[in-house]
């Protein structure tokens, strides 16, 4: 799977999440008067929206890697973070609205047309921030966490602004909310992909076998290559690949590769030479078991 299709799948999951959240949002809005106050309504609705976005976007890496284990862990982590982010985000929005009203002493009209939509958009941004952090937290990678936080916040704010300001100024409020939710989910994924590209350390492209052409983005300081579900880059269906076969490490602004067990399965070859530890250069060919990977720039 090329990087284009990987990113297309992530964006499609984000869009699908927006479509799924829409009827839930409409249900909450229809039942808003059943809640004791607006704060409770905001917390409950934010939690529901965040949970759904988190589940969908949290499964992305597992679906791309073809790992059921990653799908389940990602969905669980995404659900927990999305639920928390939705609750905190919408409470934060209320706090911002209060501060805007108190500190700026603006009138009711300004609160309704400027303060309220802006505060709610910031709440959506906080929800996106938590949802976007899922993969970075799952793999305990600061680099991935930064990418997810930045992409999630930007995407959440953009989609949230469309939802809130569109519903205020356009007549077809339900359709606007649907468009905003779709934009929110797609934008969280898209901004994450764009930031990932800027922070990428390089790409490994499979040159042979059933997954020929599949690409892995290197965006962590430490990554494991192997056949096991716990590996960062999974090589399924290739002979003589251990569950945890090789490790990539970024140090001193260079990327290095080393075998985790050089005595088994032939270790690791770089440009047909066995290595103990090797600094990688673009266009190096790495052999791990029967798999061959080409190291290139993003």
């Amino acid at each position: 799977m090329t990087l284009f299709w990987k990113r297309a799948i992530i964006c499609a999951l984000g869009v699908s999440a927006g479509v799924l959240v829409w009827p839930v949002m409409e249900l909450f809005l229809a039942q808003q008067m059943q809640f004791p106050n607006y704060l409770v309504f905001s917390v409950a609705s934010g939690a529901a929206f965040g949970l759904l976005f988190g589940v969908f976007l949290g499964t992305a890496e597992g679906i791309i890697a073809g790992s059921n284990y990653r799908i389940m862990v990602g969905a669980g982590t995404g659900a927990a973070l999305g639920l928390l982010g939705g609750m905190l985000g919408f409470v934060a929005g209320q706090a911002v609205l209060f501060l805007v009203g108190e500190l700026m002493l603006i009138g009711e009209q300004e609160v309704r047309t400027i303060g309220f939509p802006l505060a709610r958009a910031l709440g959506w941004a906080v929800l996106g921030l938590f949802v976007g952090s899922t993969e970075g937290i799952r793999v305990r990678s600061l680099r991935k966490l930064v990418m997810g936080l930045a992409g999630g916040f930007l995407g959440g704010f953009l989609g949230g602004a469309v939802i809130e300001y569109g519903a205020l100024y356009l007549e077809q409020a339900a359709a606007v909310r649907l468009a905003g939710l779709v934009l929110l989910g797609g934008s969280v994924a898209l901004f994450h992909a764009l930031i990932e590209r800027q922070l990428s350390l390089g790409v490994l492209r499979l040159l042979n076998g059933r997954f020929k052409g599949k690409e892995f983005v290197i965006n962590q300081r430490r990554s494991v290559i192997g056949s096991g579900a716990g590996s960062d880059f999974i090589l399924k269906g290739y002979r003589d690949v251990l569950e945890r076969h090789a490790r990539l490490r970024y140090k001193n602004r260079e990327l290095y590769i080393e075998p985790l067990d050089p005595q088994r399965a032939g270790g690791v070859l770089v440009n047909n030479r066995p290595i103990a530890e090797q600094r990688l250069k673009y266009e190096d060919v790495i052999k791990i078991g029967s798999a061959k990977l080409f190291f290139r720039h993003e």
Side-chain angles (χ1 to χ4, degrees):
M1 181 186 300
T2 64
L3 294 183
F4 171 81
W5 286 111
K6 172 190 172 182
R7 288 161 182 166
I9 288 173
I10 295 174
C11 288
L13 286 170
V15 169
S16 299
V19 172
L20 181 63
V21 168
W22 179 61
V24 178
M25 173 181 271
E26 297 304 307
L27 178 62
F28 267 93
L29 290 173
Q31 299 299 318
Q32 182 175 342
M33 299 305 297
Q34 304 303 315
F35 290 85
N37 54 60
Y38 192 75
L39 178 60
V40 174
F41 167 76
S42 294
V43 170
S45 58
F49 305 156
L51 186 148
L52 291 171
F53 272 115
V55 167
F56 264 73
L57 291 171
T59 61
E61 292 294 332
I63 291 173
I64 291 165
S67 168
N68 291 331
Y69 170 78
R70 276 203 207 176
I71 291 173
M72 290 186 293
V73 172
T77 305
L81 289 171
L83 186 147
L84 179 61
M87 293 172 63
L88 292 179
F90 281 39
V91 169
Q94 295 302 300
V96 169
L97 181 61
F98 175 78
L99 289 173
V100 167
E102 289 292 315
L103 299 179
M104 298 182 64
L105 299 176
I106 58 178
E108 180 180 347
Q109 176 68 13
E110 289 80 4
V111 169
R112 188 179 69 84
T113 58
I114 300 174
F116 183 77
L118 177 62
R120 292 277 294 183
L122 287 172
W124 285 107
V126 173
L127 183 155
L129 184 148
F130 273 77
V131 170
S133 70
T134 299
E135 185 63 14
I137 290 176
R138 186 189 71 80
V139 298
R140 295 187 290 277
S141 166
L142 179 61
R143 198 177 187 89
K144 273 196 171 184
L145 180 61
V146 169
M147 289 188 299
L149 291 173
F153 186 87
L154 291 171
F157 184 79
L158 177 60
V162 170
I163 293 170
E164 303 302 335
Y165 284 101
L168 183 64
Y169 292 108
L170 299 176
E171 293 183 1
Q172 299 298 324
V176 171
R177 285 192 289 268
L178 173 59
L181 288 169
V182 167
L183 180 62
L184 189 151
S187 295
V188 168
L190 179 61
F191 279 119
H192 181 281
L194 293 175
I195 294 168
E196 177 187 55
R197 180 172 183 174
Q198 295 302 313
L199 296 179
S200 168
L201 302 174
V203 175
L204 292 175
R205 181 183 178 89
L206 272 165
L207 297 176
N208 65 330
R210 59 182 295 196
F211 295 110
K212 180 180 178 180
K214 183 173 184 177
E215 295 176 321
F216 304 101
V217 180
I218 305 169
N219 50 27
Q220 301 172 222
R221 298 188 71 88
R222 293 174 179 267
S223 305
V224 172
I225 306 172
S227 60
S231 296
D232 298 295
F233 305 141
I234 301 174
L235 299 177
K236 278 186 177 179
Y238 290 88
R239 298 188 313 277
D240 301 325
V241 179
L242 303 176
E243 286 196 2
R244 293 171 57 86
H245 196 114
R247 178 168 55 206
L248 294 167
R249 290 195 300 160
Y250 184 68
K251 59 181 182 179
N252 301 323
R253 298 182 177 273
E254 300 286 355
L255 192 66
Y256 292 81
I257 188 169
E258 60 183 343
L260 290 174
D261 189 352
Q263 303 306 315
R264 294 181 58 192
V268 176
L269 280 68
V270 176
N271 300 326
N272 291 319
R273 294 194 303 272
I275 55 102
E277 183 182 62
Q278 175 75 38
R279 179 174 66 87
L280 289 176
K281 305 183 300 297
Y282 292 129
E283 300 187 4
D284 279 347
V285 175
I286 304 160
K287 189 171 187 297
I288 295 176
S290 64
K292 291 183 179 181
L293 302 112
F294 179 73
F295 179 51
R296 68 173 182 84
H297 192 271
E298 164 66 84

